[in-house]
Amino acid sequence: MANEWSGRGLDLLMARDPGKGVRGGLEHALRQAVRSGRLTPGTRLPSTRALAADLGVARGSVSQAYDQLVAEGFLVARPGSGTVVAPRPDVAAAPPSGPGSEGPPPALDLRPGLPDLSSFPRAAWLAAARRVVREMPNADLGYGDWRGHPALRRALAEYLGRARGVVTHPEQIVVFPGYSAALTMLCDALRVLGGAAVAFEDPSHPGYLASARSAGLAVRTVPVDGDGLVVDRLGADVETVVVTPAHQYPLGVTLGSRRRIDLIGWACDTGGLIVEDDYDGEFRYDRQPVGALQGLSPGQTVYAGTASKTLAPGLRIAWLAAPPNLVRPLAEARACEDPNVPVIDQLVLADLLTSGEYDRHIRRRRGHYRRRRDRLAAVLSAVPGLRPRGVAAGMHVVVELPPDRYTEDEVVEHIAGRGVAVEGLSGYRHAAPGPPALLVGYGTPPEHAFAPALAAFAAGLADLYRRR
């Protein structure tokens, strides 16, 4: 039986030689993949329509590349069943990799942290870009305001108030080239203001703790349970705490209502600062999205948002809505850094926000990811002993593993042997212990690769947990 297209060729195709043109580059990349055995005989390629959409090229270019390789004998076109890699007497199909074997690199990506990049609203972005370039005054092409273009800050203030319940003003918003840069510059500003210690959730992304340390701040960690951050574990020396209340990353829990009140109370009583990373705040499936914590106490909270999950991380657009006393230190820290967020991209995002296209895109993506979540949940429910967590929101699921069967690393390695990349939770833990678990993202694969990824993942789990 022909192998399903695994997406393995997509990275290869994306790295095609630009000097060969679109069609020539696709031909060259596919030809080399077949010759090297990376695309094995019988592998079914995606349809020309699907591959063209994923790569952002004309369908005709893909069709011509396929036709040329069919003529050369590298591919076979089968009416009604698509295009497959032709049989070759000198290339044997690679056996599936078992646990502990090196094998090929993982071909299907179910790691968390990325949206479906093929869903980027290209047509809407292009239309907005044309309007922006046609209508923007010449002065907008200068260096501009280090806080971000006023049009984007106005659009963000309106959108955040309407969709996330954030209480802010355009003058309190600062635009950054990504959330990591925003957090780094915020830590720099806090240090200049005399800050000494910042707390992070445990588990959380280790890179964010490193950003605080590089700014000269002491780092503390606070455990997370089923209701989110354990507020009463905040130490007396902590002045700032970074939280993900809407959808804690990576556990996926929502900060409980009692904890939200307790956290605001901590900030008011101690003069502390809350940094709210609104991670996956737009993607809630069991009810309306939970409003931002910032709306309860704007004077004690810095709200952080980004277009990385709603649109694409490659845009490198994030923003902070800060209390008035932090705006100047943030802007000064921002002015000392480069690169800036390109002004045309800022204005295009502002156009999408004010036209309502951004809202429409979010609604479409919410339905898309909900359907994917349901398909993943069905796979997990069929395997005894697994405990899915964090399924109500976001783009990943935490899968707690039976503690007495296999280690987290063994499961990750076995799944990788099936060509599927997932992550273990242990890489995000700092001091708080917890059961072995996987982080399984359902946003990353393009649509044509999601079903094969899910099938291979399910087969890998069945290998392990249905054994006796």
Side-chain angles (χ1 to χ4, degrees):
M1 182 174 66
N3 297 326
E4 290 290 329
W5 172 262
S6 67
R8 179 179 351 195
L10 290 180
D11 289 340
L12 177 70
L13 291 170
M14 292 294 285
R16 61 186 181 272
D17 184 352
K20 297 180 181 294
V22 173
R23 172 187 166 181
L26 292 173
E27 289 178 14
H28 175 75
L30 280 169
R31 193 181 290 114
Q32 290 302 110
V34 174
R35 284 173 174 164
S36 67
R38 291 181 65 191
L39 287 179
T40 58
T43 298
R44 182 161 63 87
L45 274 62
S47 69
T48 56
R49 184 188 301 276
L51 187 55
D54 289 341
L55 299 183
V57 300
R59 184 182 181 187
S61 297
V62 179
S63 297
Q64 291 168 7
Y66 278 16
D67 290 345
Q68 180 64 29
L69 294 175
V70 168
E72 294 176 7
F74 286 93
L75 305 178
V76 174
R78 295 175 176 171
S81 59
T83 303
V84 301
V85 177
R88 295 187 65 201
D90 58 327
V91 178
S97 301
S101 64
E102 293 187 5
L108 300 168
D109 198 348
L110 289 180
R111 290 172 294 184
L114 271 179
D116 177 1
L117 299 178
S118 68
S119 69
F120 182 79
R122 296 172 185 267
W125 187 272
L126 181 59
R130 286 172 173 158
R131 285 192 297 272
V132 163
V133 173
R134 183 174 62 246
E135 299 171 5
M136 65 188 296
N138 293 335
D140 280 349
L141 294 171
Y143 289 108
D145 192 324
W146 285 106
R147 294 172 298 173
H149 195 284
L152 177 56
R153 291 189 284 117
R154 286 193 299 271
L156 283 170
E158 189 279 331
Y159 170 77
L160 295 174
R162 169 173 51 79
R164 303 296 302 127
V166 174
V167 179
T168 190
H169 185 275
E171 296 301 310
Q172 296 173 237
I173 293 178
V174 184
V175 179
F176 296 86
Y179 173 71
S180 294
L183 181 61
T184 298
M185 288 179 237
L186 174 59
C187 289
D188 287 339
L190 293 175
R191 179 183 50 78
V192 169
L193 292 173
V198 57
F200 290 85
E201 298 166 320
D202 188 0
S204 61
H205 197 295
Y208 299 152
L209 280 67
S211 295
R213 291 190 180 102
S214 68
L217 299 175
V219 169
R220 307 288 184 259
T221 59
V222 182
V224 173
D225 62 18
D227 286 325
L229 183 83
V230 182
V231 178
D232 59 12
R233 296 285 297 275
L234 284 168
D237 65 334
V238 171
E239 303 141 331
T240 301
V241 58
V242 181
V243 294
T244 49
H247 188 236
Q248 199 278 334
Y249 189 82
L251 292 183
V253 299
T254 300
L255 188 65
S257 58
R258 182 70 254 175
R259 295 276 177 86
R260 290 164 73 95
I261 295 170
D262 290 345
L263 185 56
I264 294 298
W266 168 84
C268 293
D269 292 343
T270 65
L273 182 70
I274 302 166
V275 179
E276 177 182 12
D277 175 5
D278 196 21
Y279 190 86
D280 285 347
E282 297 89 350
F283 298 123
R284 186 88 195 183
Y285 309 126
D286 60 341
R287 60 175 183 241
Q288 288 294 316
V290 178
L293 180 70
Q294 189 266 6
L296 294 175
S297 187
Q300 283 75 39
T301 308
V302 176
Y303 174 91
T306 174
S308 294
K309 304 302 183 292
T310 55
L311 291 173
L315 293 178
R316 310 308 303 152
I317 301 179
W319 47 86
L320 299 180
N325 64 308
L326 268 177
V327 173
R328 181 178 292 277
L330 271 175
E332 290 173 352
R334 180 72 190 85
C336 295
E337 297 290 337
D338 227 10
N340 224 345
V341 180
V343 66
I344 292 178
D345 289 348
Q346 292 189 56
L347 290 172
V348 171
L349 179 55
D351 184 282
L352 296 182
L353 287 165
T354 56
S355 68
E357 185 57 42
Y358 188 80
D359 294 72
R360 289 187 286 274
H361 174 74
I362 294 295
R363 288 195 294 271
R364 290 191 296 267
R365 293 302 90 207
R366 193 179 292 136
H368 175 75
Y369 294 133
R370 181 190 292 114
R371 290 188 291 274
R372 286 194 174 194
R373 187 277 310 265
D374 292 346
R375 292 166 67 182
L376 174 59
V379 165
L380 295 173
S381 68
V383 181
L386 303 183
R387 301 176 65 190
R389 295 287 184 266
V391 299
M395 292 184 290
H396 79 275
V397 170
V398 178
V399 183
E400 290 186 10
L401 305 172
D404 56 346
R405 297 289 296 276
Y406 302 97
T407 68
E408 192 177 282
D409 288 343
E410 286 173 336
V411 177
V412 170
E413 183 179 0
H414 182 79
I415 298 298
R418 285 279 185 169
V420 183
V422 296
E423 285 188 357
L425 179 59
S426 59
Y428 295 84
R429 296 192 185 279
H430 307 291
L438 302 180
L439 301 181
V440 185
Y442 47 87
T444 303
E447 188 60 27
H448 77 266
F450 183 65
L454 208 54
F457 175 64
L461 290 176
D463 284 347
L464 292 174
Y465 292 105
R466 289 177 182 164
R467 286 178 182 169
R468 297 297 180 191

